Amino acid sequence: MKHKLLVIALCCLSLSSMAQSGIYISPLVDETGLDSKSVSYLESKLQSVISANGYSDFDGITRFVLAAKVIETHKDITPTTPSRISVELEVYLKTGDIVDNKVYGGTTLTLRGIGKSEQSAYTDAFKKIKPGNVEIQTLLNSFKDVISDYYTHHCDEITRKAQSTAQLGNYDEALFQLVSVPNVCQSCSDDCCAQAVTIYRQKIDAEGEQLLRQATLKWQTSKDKATAIAVANLLLQIAPRSSAYPKSQQLQGEIEQKLDADALKEWQMKMKEYDDKQQFKMGILDAVKAIGVAWGEHQPQSITKNIVRLWF
C-alpha cells in the first residue's frame, strides 16, 4: 500500500512539473487564404507568445486553444526597384474549448509587413506579434481563469470519461485524457495521476496476457529454433510490470531447456540485447505520459480545424 501511494505521489509530482503555470494552451491557425509556410510560421509565433506568458503547449492539440484567422485588408506593390509587396492584415485571435465548442474571448491585431513576395510580407507582419502585447496578455489571463474554473468543477466528469474509455480497451486515449489535465487544481491533478497509474497497469496487463497467449500457442505448435526466436520477439514486448511477466519468464525457461547450444546462444543474445535496452527505458511515470502524448500526436487535426473555422 505504501509503495502504491509513493507511485501516485511521484506521478503527481512528475505530471505537475510538465507545465510552467499548469495551463496547456495550443496554437491553431485557420488555414483559409494562407500558404503552408505562413501557417507554420504564425503557429510558431503564437506558440512563442504562449510560452513567454508562462503557459505551456502540450504535445498534440489540447482542448483549449488560442486560434487565429488572418484577413488581408490591403495589398500594394511599391514603385521601387526592385519592387516590394506591402500588406495590411487583420489577425483575429480567439480563445476557446474545442471539445465543448465554446469561444471565451477574442481580440484583433492590425499588422503591416513588406517583402519581396507576398509570403515574405506576411512573415514580416507576423514578426510584429509580441509576447508583451497588452491585448494578448489580457486575453490569455482571462482564459486562464476559465480553464482553472473548468478543472475545478469538472474533474469527476474527466475521470469518469477516462475510466469508460479504458473499459472499452482504448487505454492510450484514456491516458491522454488524464495526462493532459494541468495542475491548476491540485485535488483534480492528484485524482488524474492516480487513475493514470491504474489505467497504465490495466493496459500492460491486458497487452501482456494477449502476447503471452500468442507466444504460448506458437511454442506449442512448433518447438524449433526459428519458432523460439519468433516467441522471443513476442515475450520481449511484455512489460516487466505486467501481471503476465512472471509467466512469460516461466515460458522463457521452458524454451531455453529445449534449445541446442547454438540456438540457446542466439536466444540468450536476444535476451541480453533486451536487458541492455531496458537500462534506457522509461519508468512507469514517464511511460504513462509518453503513451498519452503519442496518442494525442497521432489524432487527425482536420475535425479540430473545422470546429475552429466556425468560430470566426
Side-chain angles (χ1 to χ4, degrees):
M1 179 64 178
K2 289 182 179 179
H3 175 70
K4 182 178 180 181
L5 292 175
L6 177 61
V7 169
I8 292 172
L10 289 173
C11 178
C12 295
L13 289 173
S14 177
L15 297 183
S16 295
S17 66
M18 288 182 213
Q20 301 168 49
S21 67
I23 298 291
Y24 299 121
I25 301 175
S26 296
L28 199 61
V29 174
D30 181 351
E31 299 174 353
T32 305
L34 297 176
D35 60 77
S36 59
K37 289 184 177 179
S38 295
V39 171
S40 178
Y41 185 84
L42 181 54
E43 284 193 345
S44 176
K45 193 67 177 178
L46 293 177
Q47 178 53 63
S48 67
V49 169
I50 291 171
S51 298
N53 279 280
Y55 305 95
S56 295
D57 176 32
F58 192 73
D59 296 320
I61 295 294
T62 64
R63 67 181 302 150
F64 298 108
V65 301
L66 173 63
K69 180 178 179 63
V70 180
I71 299 295
E72 182 184 289
T73 55
H74 183 75
K75 180 169 65 176
D76 193 19
I77 299 177
T78 66
T80 59
T81 303
S83 62
R84 296 286 188 271
I85 296 178
S86 64
V87 295
E88 180 175 299
L89 309 174
E90 295 290 325
V91 179
Y92 298 91
L93 298 175
K94 291 192 178 182
T95 54
D97 179 343
I98 59 174
V99 175
D100 289 342
N101 195 12
K102 290 183 179 179
V103 176
Y104 289 106
T107 191
T108 305
L109 306 177
T110 300
L111 305 174
R112 295 174 180 83
I114 188 169
K116 294 180 180 180
S117 64
E118 184 171 330
Q119 192 271 323
S120 62
Y122 271 57
T123 298
D124 184 57
F126 294 152
K127 287 179 180 178
K128 297 177 174 63
I129 300 176
K130 304 296 183 182
N133 180 283
V134 176
E135 289 87 352
I136 294 177
Q137 289 182 332
T138 301
L139 181 65
L140 291 176
N141 288 336
S142 176
F143 198 28
K144 176 182 177 181
D145 295 336
V146 170
I147 296 172
S148 298
D149 182 73
Y150 176 84
Y151 286 109
T152 299
H153 296 94
H154 293 80
C155 195
D156 288 344
E157 176 185 332
I158 294 168
T159 53
R160 283 197 303 270
K161 182 179 179 181
Q163 186 176 18
S164 298
T165 302
Q167 288 174 348
L168 295 174
N170 300 323
Y171 301 108
D172 294 359
E173 180 181 355
L175 289 172
F176 175 79
Q177 294 168 1
L178 295 169
V179 301
S180 60
V181 172
N183 63 337
V184 290
C185 174
Q186 192 60 52
S187 61
C188 183
S189 180
D190 290 348
D191 289 345
C192 290
C193 287
Q195 188 163 346
V197 172
T198 298
I199 289 176
Y200 173 73
R201 292 192 181 281
Q202 292 172 354
K203 168 186 167 67
I204 62 175
D205 285 351
E207 292 177 349
E209 290 294 338
Q210 182 179 14
L211 288 165
L212 181 60
R213 285 195 297 271
Q214 293 175 5
T216 301
L217 179 60
K218 188 176 288 291
W219 182 242
Q220 290 174 345
T221 302
S222 178
K223 299 185 178 182
D224 55 20
K225 175 183 173 180
T227 304
I229 299 303
V231 170
N233 289 329
L234 292 171
L235 295 180
L236 294 180
Q237 297 178 56
I238 299 176
R241 294 185 179 89
S242 170
S243 59
Y245 188 73
K247 293 180 181 178
S248 75
Q249 295 300 288
Q250 293 176 11
L251 179 58
Q252 178 180 330
E254 177 185 333
I255 293 173
E256 290 177 351
Q257 292 177 6
K258 297 290 186 180
L259 298 177
D260 59 33
D262 289 340
L264 179 60
K265 183 178 180 180
E266 185 173 347
W267 168 275
Q268 290 175 340
M269 286 178 61
K270 197 168 191 65
M271 291 301 176
K272 177 63 167 59
E273 179 184 350
Y274 169 74
D275 289 338
D276 290 341
K277 288 181 179 179
Q278 282 297 99
Q279 301 300 318
F280 301 97
K281 275 208 164 186
M282 300 171 296
I284 185 171
L285 308 180
D286 289 335
V288 167
K289 179 178 181 288
I291 292 168
V293 168
W295 185 90
E297 286 181 332
H298 288 88
Q299 298 314 298
Q301 295 186 18
S302 56
I303 296 177
T304 297
K305 291 186 176 182
N306 286 337
I307 292 173
V308 169
R309 193 171 290 116
L310 296 175
W311 290 358
F312 295 99

